[in-house]
Amino acid sequence: MDIPARSTTDLSRAVATEIRVLLLRRNMNQAQLAERMGVNEVWVSRRLRGAQQLDLNDLQRIADVLDVAIAHGMTDTDYSRLYERFDEIVGEVGKNK
């Protein structure tokens, strides 16, 4: 069985987008996430911008703070759809404030 190749850049961008969406939904910013994780804001910013890759331990720490499970079984289509809808999701969150 062949497993389709996935661009790590696309996947990293999709995960960072998902984290930003979760922050918005929880009315949190990167500074608050950093404080709760015990890291500085630059640490969070670099990972969410893609300047530094997130590893699995980073993801688990972020998931713990945001009180979410790390997604299992998300397909490329799921990630693509999330990335494409980011602006729409941000608009929805802004309307609910």
Side-chain angles (χ1 to χ4, degrees):
M1 174 171 75
D2 290 331
I3 298 173
R6 181 184 302 185
S7 166
T8 56
T9 302
D10 291 343
L11 183 57
S12 295
R13 186 175 9 173
V15 170
T17 299
E18 188 169 348
I19 293 167
R20 287 192 298 271
V21 168
L22 288 167
L23 288 172
L24 286 169
R25 288 187 174 159
R26 285 162 174 70
N27 293 315
M28 286 179 67
N29 59 39
Q30 290 183 20
Q32 292 166 319
L33 175 62
E35 182 179 332
R36 291 180 186 181
M37 291 180 66
V39 298
N40 63 42
E41 189 176 354
V42 173
W43 186 97
V44 172
S45 176
R46 288 182 52 79
R47 281 152 181 84
L48 295 186
R49 284 185 293 115
Q52 175 74 36
Q53 287 196 354
L54 285 162
D55 66 24
L56 293 176
N57 294 317
D58 297 337
L59 286 175
Q60 187 61 61
R61 290 173 65 195
I62 292 168
D64 289 345
V65 169
L66 296 177
D67 194 28
V68 296
I70 294 177
H72 294 277
M74 286 189 74
T75 66
D76 289 338
T77 303
D78 294 331
Y79 283 115
S80 295
R81 199 171 331 162
L82 174 65
Y83 184 72
E84 290 169 1
R85 289 197 56 230
F86 180 70
D87 290 333
E88 179 184 337
I89 293 167
V90 169
E92 290 172 10
V93 171
K95 290 177 188 176
N96 294 328
K97 285 188 176 182

